[in-house]
Amino acid sequence: MLSLQEVHLHYGAIHALRGISLEVQQGQIVTLIGANGAGKSSTLMAISGLLRPTSGRIVFEGEDLTHLPTHTIVARGISQVPEGRRIFPALTVLENLEMGAYTRSGAAEIRHDLDRVFQLFPLLQDRRSQPGGTLSGGEQQMLAIGRALMGRPRLLLLDEPSLGLAPKLVETIFEVIREINAQSTTILLVEQNAHMALRVAAKGYVMEVGRIVLADDAEKLMANGEVRSAYLGE
């Protein structure tokens, strides 16, 4: 479904991505793990068109996305939940969700997907008239995921969905990630909680300083001694 081919990316003189190549198969959850500054978020932003690669190709369902603008990429079927949520704090929960469908037409289908989001996150339905900025951190994360789902993506990019959340909420978010995937949405997940990420993923990539240094099935990465020592706290 998604292929990155020798992608390089610079922030001025900083070489942030150094020849990233990876694949995501349809129906999978694939995770990127690594330390802060490894290039995980830059990889997602390059896929979304928020950052422009210096060289290399990003191909989604056979189409080269490398030079397309972000709104076109969203319309093609890729949505991103950014690190830090980045909801619209002055808009209501409902308005935030409606913003996620801005590339779409068809009121009936949009209402159907709104109902789907409320089934995944019943709390958001209770808060639908409340300004997004008044929600707790966990509630805002639910809203950010729901907003992305309103674009009806075939590929969902999740950037640090558990960041700053209490352990109980982390479990809830990952249960929802599994449910979204079970509903036929492919997921590329960036997550510092490597243990949780590898538990839900089929495949994982380990990034260090802008490079992929290890790629394998998630179960094999969980059993890898170096991964366990560096990222699983063992």
Side-chain angles (χ1 to χ4, degrees):
M1 177 180 255
L2 178 73
S3 174
L4 274 64
Q5 304 165 9
E6 289 292 323
V7 173
H8 290 258
L9 186 146
H10 289 77
Y11 296 98
I14 299 172
H15 198 172
L17 298 181
R18 303 167 180 252
I20 296 294
S21 295
L22 62 83
E23 291 185 350
V24 179
Q25 302 297 327
Q26 185 171 352
Q28 286 185 325
I29 300 177
V30 175
T31 188
L32 299 178
I33 62 174
N36 282 333
K40 306 184 303 296
S41 293
S42 295
T43 300
L44 295 193
M45 287 191 284
I47 295 167
S48 293
L50 296 167
L51 296 174
R52 192 65 62 203
T54 312
S55 62
R57 297 177 74 227
I58 300 171
V59 179
F60 177 64
E61 296 183 330
E63 181 180 7
D64 191 337
L65 304 183
T66 314
H67 302 292
L68 295 182
T70 298
H71 66 275
T72 302
I73 292 171
V74 172
R76 292 291 193 274
I78 299 177
S79 293
Q80 180 169 346
V81 180
E83 181 181 357
R85 301 146 190 137
R86 300 188 189 180
I87 63 158
F88 301 100
L91 299 185
T92 67
V93 166
L94 180 59
E95 289 167 339
N96 268 274
L97 293 172
E98 290 172 340
M99 286 294 290
Y102 82 103
T103 62
R104 299 176 55 191
S105 58
E109 288 188 348
I110 291 173
R111 282 197 301 271
H112 176 273
D113 289 339
L114 186 62
D115 289 341
R116 176 196 179 198
V117 170
F118 287 151
Q119 287 173 359
L120 285 169
F121 302 111
L123 185 146
L124 294 182
Q125 185 166 25
D126 296 338
R127 306 271 202 277
R128 60 190 298 159
S129 300
Q130 187 172 324
T134 65
L135 301 180
S136 70
E139 292 165 352
Q140 289 187 17
Q141 187 63 69
M142 295 175 191
L143 180 56
I145 294 173
R147 179 182 61 185
L149 291 176
M150 288 299 296
R152 191 173 279 191
R154 294 185 299 283
L155 174 64
L156 180 64
L157 310 177
L158 289 171
D159 196 352
E160 302 287 3
S162 76
L163 187 66
L165 302 186
K168 185 175 181 180
L169 275 175
V170 171
E171 291 284 352
T172 299
I173 291 296
F174 274 89
E175 287 174 8
V176 170
I177 290 170
R178 290 189 185 95
E179 178 62 24
I180 292 169
N181 179 243
Q183 294 176 5
S184 302
T185 302
T186 304
I187 295 173
L188 179 56
L189 168 67
V190 162
E191 179 58 61
Q192 282 195 331
N193 187 334
H195 189 268
M196 292 293 294
L198 291 171
R199 275 175 53 190
V200 301
K203 185 174 182 179
Y205 291 88
V206 179
M207 294 189 68
E208 292 180 2
V209 199
R211 294 186 175 90
I212 290 174
V213 297
L214 191 59
D216 211 333
D217 294 340
E219 287 186 2
K220 293 180 180 178
L221 289 177
M222 286 275 282
N224 182 291
E226 292 183 8
V227 172
R228 296 178 73 88
S229 175
Y231 302 108
L232 302 181
E234 298 181 8

